[in-house]
Amino acid sequence: SWRVVGAAATGVSHQRHGLPCQDIQAYRLIPVGSGQALLIALADGAGSAEHADLGARQAVTSVLDALENFLSAGEGAPLDFESIVRQAFEAARQALVDLAEQEDLAVRSLATTLTCVVAADGFFTVGQVGDGSVVVKTGQDELMAVTQPQRGEYANETYFLVQEDALEHLQVHLMHIPVQALAVLSDGLVRLALQLPANQPHEPFFKPLFSFAATSVDPEAASEQLVAFLSSERVSARTDDDKSIVLAVCCEHSTVQPNGESAGG
């Protein structure tokens, strides 16, 4: 079972310009067979997109709905996690296209990155389009960055789910290793959390956060504490972007709410 806590905080640059937080994160714990699956999704709306927060929320909800449906439909049969993640990203992208049509919006106005995690049945699967990051603590107490933040053709550019060729840039990583803890984070935290350009997790950043998640028994209170950390002066001094993170720690005995979602205030 898992203890999970997630939070998002509005960056100071967005506060300065009166913009909403364009990071959305959410997670679900669902039964699969005799066990439990952890689903996490995190989307970082493009700062230049007019309705990026709407696109990020739609992407997160759609990918989690698709993952849950695929896992539930496949119960009792061997699961092809890589195929499930790819299909879920296809569904999330189509949901953005459909939303743009329904609301009479340019689809590019919903531009967002998307990262998702499925931990189930001894497998750990990650899908990503864009510049987020996923870090795991393995059974050997090693920190490992699973994904490589994607950069586009130009500086400060990445790939977004609304692009016609978005699924060509989809990274899918499937691992069959013990995972003690994991973190999914948006680009706003990458410079604090990773040693670049080596993409090496910074242990002093993750160690206290994983300890915090492991001892958190009230997800709502823990999320509020995490928001306070993300909004703190020491973090904001390093990055003025929106910041979001989901932490999950594998525990034999834990109590955690079945769903969680937030955007920064």
Side-chain angles (χ1 to χ4, degrees):
S1 59
W2 297 88
R3 282 187 176 170
V4 192
V5 57
T10 308
V12 293
S13 64
H14 283 203
Q15 293 175 7
R16 192 181 304 123
H17 294 96
L19 296 173
C21 182
Q22 295 169 334
D23 279 12
I24 302 292
Q25 56 77 31
Y27 62 87
R28 298 179 188 176
L29 289 163
I30 64 170
V32 175
S34 59
Q36 186 184 63
L38 168 64
L39 311 178
I40 297 172
L42 187 151
D44 179 358
S48 59
E50 185 178 1
H51 303 290
D53 55 327
L54 182 61
R57 188 175 300 279
Q58 181 68 59
V60 163
T61 300
S62 298
V63 81
L64 289 177
D65 285 348
L67 288 171
E68 183 169 354
N69 289 338
F70 290 139
L71 289 171
S72 300
E75 190 170 343
L79 295 170
D80 182 346
F81 288 99
E82 180 173 351
S83 176
I84 286 171
V85 167
R86 290 189 180 278
Q87 291 179 73
F89 268 76
E90 291 177 11
R93 185 186 182 283
Q94 186 60 49
L96 291 177
V97 173
D98 293 344
L99 178 62
E101 184 175 342
Q102 292 164 11
E103 301 296 330
D104 195 23
L105 301 172
V107 69
R108 64 179 178 275
S109 74
L110 302 172
T112 181
T113 68
L114 181 61
T115 302
C116 78
V117 167
V118 180
D121 199 24
F123 288 91
F124 179 79
T125 312
V126 177
Q128 179 171 296
V129 171
D131 52 11
S133 185
V134 178
V135 170
V136 298
K137 182 181 181 183
T138 69
Q140 288 72 43
D141 287 329
E142 296 177 351
L143 290 177
M144 178 176 65
V146 179
T147 60
Q148 182 77 35
Q150 297 177 338
R151 301 300 178 189
E153 183 179 353
Y154 303 103
N156 299 321
E157 181 186 66
T158 189
Y159 298 111
F160 298 110
L161 193 60
V162 296
Q163 294 175 212
E164 290 187 4
D165 63 347
L167 299 178
E168 296 177 18
H169 300 289
L170 171 61
Q171 299 180 46
V172 180
H173 304 271
L174 175 63
M175 298 177 292
H176 193 36
I177 59 172
V179 173
Q180 291 187 32
L182 64 95
V184 185
L185 52 148
S186 67
D187 180 57
L189 287 173
V190 164
R191 283 175 290 177
L192 286 76
L194 300 176
Q195 297 173 2
L196 302 174
N199 202 38
Q200 178 64 36
H202 187 48
E203 186 172 350
F205 178 85
F206 288 103
K207 187 175 180 180
L209 286 175
F210 285 147
S211 296
F212 163 74
T215 56
S216 299
V217 295
D218 182 340
E220 185 174 344
S223 181
E224 291 176 358
Q225 290 178 268
L226 200 52
V227 169
F229 165 70
L230 296 176
S231 305
S232 66
E233 185 175 345
R234 61 175 174 154
V235 172
S236 297
R238 298 281 303 278
T239 174
D240 64 357
D241 196 4
D242 292 342
K243 302 161 288 286
S244 55
I245 190 169
V246 180
L247 303 164
V249 178
C250 188
C251 303
E252 280 196 21
H253 304 286
S254 68
T255 302
V256 64
Q257 64 186 26
N259 302 288
E261 178 180 329
S262 77

